[in-house]
Amino acid sequence: MTGRTPWLLLAPSTVLLALLFGWPLAQGVLAAFQDGSGFTLAHWQRLFTDPYFGQALRNTVLLIVIVVPIQLVLAVGMTLLIQAKPRFAGVHFYLWAIPLAISDLAAGLVWLTVFADRGYLNSLLITLGLSEHGIAWLSYDSPGTMLFAVVVAEVWRATSMVFVIVVAGVQMLPPDYDEAAQVFGATAWQRLWHVTLPLLRPSLQVALILRTILALQAFAVAQALTGRDFPLLVGETYQWHVTLQNPSVASAVALVVLALSLGTAVLYLRALRQPAGGGAR
Amino acid sequence: MTRPPVDLAPLRRRRQRRILVQLACIAVSTFLLLPIVLIGLSALSSRTALTEFPKPLLPSEFDTESVLGFIGGTGVVPAFGNSVLVGVYTVLLALLLGAPAGYALSRFDFRGRDAYQVLILLVRALPIVVLSVPLATMFLRVGVDDTVFAVTLVHTALALPTTILITASIFVGVPRDVEEAALVFGCTPLQAMRRVVLPMALPGLAASSVFTFVLSWNEVLGAAVLTLGHRTLPAQVLASLADSPNAYRFAGGFVLVLPALLFIFLMRRYLLNMWGTTLR
């Protein structure tokens, strides 16, 4: 049964992936470096002189640096809670998984009800007497609160994914190590820090890489909450392509995203590399 | 006879710990559920209740006018249809192309297997923006731009790596012995596939289809870049975001969020397999 059969089975998917990933990738690189007459850096120049680009780059990096660690800690905490077998664990698990199926556009709109000028948060603040007229969370001249709103929405939407990866990882761990540590009198904190987390490293690595790459692609959250007032890199691609009708500069932004994605993946793999590389399962 | 004193402290500590765990769980659930409730309430408020400020938690007047207004908005119903179509086609195409590959990965040990898996992982790491922009140009040249087909192709490429990994893990769960028994009793490999392996893999395949559908249903950027007249629902909402009132936005967000409750309910038993182990 071996020989050619597996490759016959793999061929259709390989062909499609090559056509829909390899070819556009090459085209994208060409588009970013070419104009009608040949090689050019004009698109990059135009991009780098665009004030939105610097902001978008800074916002995207800030978002990742803030959101991903929060999500990791939260997800590990949620996993420990579920592992403690609370009452109604099934219901809690279901609720904690729901954001997995919510898009970043929808998440942005959901949190718009909270952060809008006449939204629930300001209503709460006024009712509690903490503020007189509420705070303009999404105003273009207060990047700090805009960042806060986007961070909250991203944490809300995408922690579930880290949570599910970590839970799956914990369930695959052999219970022996934890029991042994318990027998030898380790505290819950010591067991988490010295036993569970090190064993979880492959899962955490996957979660970190996936989350960072996906967070790089977030844009509709910010779009829904703030319009273009809080630009993110992928949102800039959308702007250049759809609104400004300039596919070349759009390709250039996309390449920046690609470079950042690959860069972070390599960085994480280096930093978290294990002696016996886990690799693809 | 006097009993020795019993030290109840550990028991008490244990009970306290359980209460703390319970409270923490409720806190997390509230954080995750409350915003969905809030957008539901906003979407179902009447126009006048929506402008109230400060807002009460429960709107003073419920009304379906925002939701009906959203559904009646230009292009929303066709966009909904496009979203469903793209989702269904993507599910079918991804299964058709991905399941054989998943089967091959689960059953055969062949040279190039590692290379193929690296290819899959690489594709997963590629941001969809990188493809969407050149593909939009290419589709325009071939004449399939702004069609359900174009979006389907991109979503299929996006879903394929996961589909392959998930189906591989599903086929690993179907014992080889059963398949071999079918072969021994005179089935051809194709018959063994159709009559023995597929029925056993069916629940997993169904869950994986829901996963693919969710992926396609939620994808915004590719759909927004590739379409103009034939938008999917998220692309339609994104495009009309800038010049619509909050009532429209809340209703749109609510309509986009609702299916998530159903999707996760359908997949709940397979979630760990899907987002967890197979993503390595």
Side-chain angles (χ1 to χ4, degrees):
Chain A
M1 287 253 289
T2 44
R4 233 177 308 157
T5 325
W7 281 109
L8 280 179
L9 294 171
L10 295 183
S13 56
T14 316
V15 169
L16 185 90
L17 287 180
L19 274 181
L20 283 178
F21 277 90
W23 196 86
L25 191 60
Q27 284 298 311
V29 174
L30 288 181
F33 285 103
Q34 268 181 347
D35 59 6
S37 54
F39 177 83
T40 174
L41 285 174
H43 308 310
W44 292 89
Q45 243 161 20
R46 188 143 174 224
L47 178 63
F48 289 144
T49 48
D50 180 46
Y52 279 107
F53 176 73
Q55 279 182 43
L57 185 63
R58 198 200 55 199
N59 289 344
T60 308
V61 172
L62 262 179
L63 186 66
I64 290 172
V65 171
I66 297 173
V67 161
V68 173
I70 294 179
Q71 287 180 329
L72 214 58
V73 173
L74 256 180
V76 171
M78 285 157 72
T79 307
L80 293 177
L81 286 177
I82 281 289
Q83 288 295 105
K85 305 220 166 47
R87 240 180 250 208
F88 311 116
V91 177
H92 287 303
F93 186 83
Y94 168 65
L95 290 178
W96 298 1
I98 286 175
L100 281 173
I102 294 179
S103 64
D104 68 336
L105 174 65
L109 292 169
V110 165
W111 282 92
L112 187 64
T113 63
V114 175
F115 286 113
D117 284 346
R118 304 170 81 90
Y120 284 102
L121 185 55
N122 278 342
S123 301
L124 182 72
L125 289 178
I126 290 176
T127 314
L128 292 178
L130 292 173
S131 164
E132 207 171 318
H133 305 289
I135 297 165
W137 297 97
L138 304 173
S139 149
Y140 66 95
D141 56 5
S142 89
T145 54
M146 278 197 288
L147 176 68
F148 175 74
V150 175
V151 163
V152 171
E154 268 295 283
V155 167
W156 177 77
R157 178 182 71 91
T159 304
S160 301
M161 184 179 180
V162 187
F163 165 64
V164 171
I165 295 176
V166 175
V167 170
V170 166
Q171 294 199 338
M172 282 193 312
L173 297 184
D176 319 11
Y177 297 102
D178 199 53
E179 281 163 13
Q182 220 163 348
V183 167
F184 284 111
T187 63
W189 182 252
Q190 285 172 326
R191 292 197 327 260
L192 171 67
W193 199 248
H194 294 294
V195 180
T196 311
L197 284 184
L199 286 173
L200 264 183
R201 195 150 70 168
S203 298
L204 295 178
Q205 177 175 323
V206 172
L208 259 179
I209 296 178
L210 268 183
R211 263 318 297 153
T212 309
I213 289 172
L214 290 176
L216 265 171
Q217 299 184 41
F219 86 108
V221 169
Q223 201 97 15
L225 280 170
T226 70
R228 207 186 175 187
D229 293 338
F230 189 82
L232 291 171
L233 279 180
V234 172
E236 284 310 287
T237 321
Y238 175 76
Q239 291 293 346
W240 280 104
H241 188 88
V242 175
T243 317
L244 305 167
Q245 303 278 330
N246 190 331
S248 301
V249 182
S251 295
V253 190
L255 286 181
V256 174
V257 178
L258 176 67
L260 284 175
S261 303
L262 294 181
T264 39
V266 171
L267 205 74
Y268 281 145
L269 285 175
R270 278 266 170 86
L272 295 161
R273 186 177 339 187
Q274 283 202 300
R281 45 155 270 134
Chain B
M1 196 172 102
T2 52
R3 292 189 187 173
V6 180
D7 182 13
L8 287 174
L11 268 180
R12 212 174 304 131
R13 226 176 304 140
R14 205 183 134 89
R15 196 171 317 135
Q16 275 171 359
R17 230 185 70 114
R18 294 220 53 92
I19 292 173
L20 274 182
V21 164
Q22 209 60 253
L23 286 179
C25 284
I26 292 172
V28 175
S29 289
T30 310
F31 172 60
L32 291 177
L33 189 62
L34 187 65
I36 297 180
V37 174
L38 290 181
I39 198 170
L41 290 175
S42 302
L44 296 174
S45 298
S46 69
R47 292 266 151 120
T48 41
L50 207 57
T51 53
E52 265 176 336
F53 188 71
K55 264 182 215 221
L57 182 60
L58 284 180
S60 55
E61 198 185 350
F62 282 98
D63 200 326
T64 49
E65 62 181 333
S66 300
V67 174
L68 291 181
F70 171 77
I71 294 172
T74 9
V76 171
V77 171
F80 180 85
N82 287 335
S83 265
V84 173
L85 270 185
V86 170
V88 170
Y89 289 156
T90 304
V91 165
L92 293 179
L93 199 57
L95 269 186
L96 203 68
L97 299 172
Y103 181 78
L105 286 181
S106 74
R107 284 289 193 267
F108 301 99
D109 207 11
F110 54 93
R111 259 198 310 158
R113 192 193 148 100
D114 286 343
Y116 183 77
Q117 287 192 328
V118 168
L119 172 83
I120 292 180
L121 287 181
L122 205 72
V123 168
R124 272 195 64 88
L126 278 181
I128 185 173
V129 260
V130 184
L131 323 179
S132 305
V133 176
L135 278 179
T137 320
M138 172 175 138
F139 287 149
L140 192 69
R141 215 173 294 149
V142 190
V144 295
D145 59 305
D146 193 13
T147 57
V148 164
F149 174 71
V151 185
T152 301
L153 270 185
V154 173
H155 286 184
T156 305
L158 201 66
L160 252 186
T162 343
T163 308
I164 293 168
L165 292 177
I166 293 173
T167 48
S169 84
I170 290 165
F171 285 125
V172 166
V174 177
R176 218 185 182 132
D177 316 2
V178 189
E179 200 180 345
E180 275 163 10
L183 293 176
V184 168
F185 284 115
C187 280
T188 65
L190 266 184
Q191 278 174 329
M193 186 54 154
R194 201 163 54 85
R195 297 200 178 164
V196 179
V197 179
L198 277 187
M200 288 178 81
L202 207 59
L205 291 180
S208 132
S209 304
V210 181
F211 176 94
T212 309
F213 190 87
V214 171
L215 196 92
S216 160
W217 177 266
N218 280 340
E219 202 282 320
V220 185
L221 184 85
V225 167
L226 290 171
T227 58
L228 201 63
H230 298 87
R231 294 195 184 282
T232 62
L233 192 57
Q236 176 68 34
V237 172
L238 182 73
S240 45
L241 212 52
D243 38 42
S244 32
N246 271 352
Y248 178 93
R249 298 177 182 173
F250 296 154
F254 185 55
V255 170
L256 286 177
V257 164
L258 266 191
L261 306 180
L262 177 71
F263 292 149
I264 294 297
F265 186 75
L266 290 177
M267 285 189 293
R268 67 199 180 286
R269 284 173 46 220
Y270 292 90
L271 285 177
L272 292 183
N273 281 336
M274 233 148 265
W275 272 277
T277 43
T278 48
L279 289 181
R280 296 281 161 72

